[in-house]
Amino acid sequence: MTKKERALEVIRRLKKEYPEAFCTLSYEDAWQLLVSVRLSAQCTDKRVDQTTPELYRRFPTVEALAEADPSEIEEIIRPCGLGHSKARDISACMKMLHTVYHDRVPDTMEELLKLPGVGRKSANLVLGDVFGKPAIVTDTHCIRLSNLIGLTDNIKEPVKVERELRKIIPPEEGSDLCHRFVLHGRAVCIARRPQCGRCCLSDVCRYGIAHSDTEDRSPQ
């Protein structure tokens, strides 16, 4: 089975297993997704979603958040960790959105990467979820599962994983597949203890095939 054939089969099976593909961060507007994904660094999505309602209550628009003192932002987002740097980035990002882009989130990778605190992972998430454009969100789940399944070969750098996956995944499937990787990574292919015995991919997964004699074996 080639990597492309494996990728198509993985897509087919995960679609059946998780019919609804969705971002696990709550947001209503594109700028809120930018804020939430910045807060999610080294923090759980659950904690982010518990924190952002108060942030948006205090600062309900791009302009309001752009004009807020970073210390006010930091006070609210402190439960998400790394409060000082995250507040600084969010403040700078909203200022640029307000002054340069007139409160509208740009819809190209090139323009998104100009925003402070926005990397390729964040940009891809916005492009895929908000604008419906081809996207590969190389978060920890995507990188880990791609290597275990055999879609990539022990590649850990997000940009390189994205490049390799774009070669074998149909453009229209990339965004939803990455969301399904998150769902599958949390429910079944759990870090350090994948549940191969109940995995819908076990017979097409490189790791699952290699460890077919056991139901629960930690990756080396």
Side-chain angles (χ1 to χ4, degrees), residues 12-13 22 61 76 94 99 107 122 150 154 157 159 165-166 178-179 194:
R12 186 187 70 79
R13 294 190 188 190
F22 55 88
T61 64
I76 297 171
M94 294 301 111
T99 59
D107 63 355
S122 303
N154 198 31
E157 298 89 340
V159 174
L165 290 180
R166 285 186 184 275
C178 292
H179 287 322

Side-chain angles (χ1 to χ4, degrees), residues 26 29 38 53 56 73 78 85 88 90 94 98-99 121 124 127 133 163 165 195 197 199:
S26 297
D29 299 301
R38 180 65 186 94
Y56 302 147
I73 300 173
R78 185 173 292 113
S85 62
R88 179 196 62 210
I90 290 170
M94 294 301 111
H98 181 57
T99 59
K121 183 184 83 169
N124 270 303
L127 289 174
K133 294 190 174 185
R163 184 186 306 129
L165 290 180
Q195 309 293 308
C199 178

Side-chain angles (χ1 to χ4, degrees), residues 33-190:
L33 181 55
L34 281 176
V35 171
S36 289
V37 74
R38 180 65 186 94
L39 291 176
S40 69
Q42 299 183 43
C43 180
T44 65
D45 291 355
K46 181 179 180 180
R47 173 62 66 184
V48 172
D49 286 346
Q50 291 172 340
T51 303
T52 49
E54 175 62 16
L55 182 67
Y56 302 147
R57 186 190 70 79
R58 291 270 301 276
F59 309 108
T61 64
V62 171
E63 182 178 8
L65 201 50
E67 294 177 350
D69 189 289
S71 63
E72 296 180 276
I73 300 173
E74 182 178 354
E75 179 183 356
I76 297 171
I77 67 171
R78 185 173 292 113
C80 295
L82 305 175
H84 184 72
S85 62
K86 289 180 180 179
R88 179 196 62 210
D89 286 345
I90 290 170
S91 176
C93 182
M94 294 301 111
K95 287 181 188 299
M96 190 170 183
L97 273 184
H98 181 57
T99 59
V100 177
Y101 295 101
H102 310 292
D103 297 356
R104 296 181 64 85
V105 174
D107 63 355
T108 68
M109 177 66 74
E110 180 183 17
E111 294 296 314
L112 284 166
L113 292 179
K114 293 179 181 178
L115 298 171
V118 176
R120 290 192 67 87
K121 183 184 83 169
S122 303
N124 270 303
L125 185 61
V126 170
L127 289 174
D129 277 44
V130 176
F131 298 109
K133 294 190 174 185
I136 299 288
V137 182
T138 49
D139 61 9
T140 55
H141 291 288
C142 175
I143 294 172
R144 182 171 59 83
L145 268 65
S146 293
N147 282 303
L148 286 177
I149 293 168
L151 304 182
T152 53
D153 297 314
N154 198 31
I155 303 174
K156 301 301 174 62
E157 298 89 340
V159 174
K160 292 182 180 180
V161 172
E162 179 186 340
R163 184 186 306 129
E164 292 303 304
L165 290 180
R166 285 186 184 275
K167 296 177 183 178
I168 59 175
I169 294 174
E172 69 276 11
E173 298 286 358
S175 181
D176 284 351
L177 175 61
C178 292
H179 287 322
R180 291 186 172 103
F181 275 158
V182 173
L183 297 174
H184 194 62
R186 291 176 177 174
V188 178
C189 193
I190 304 164

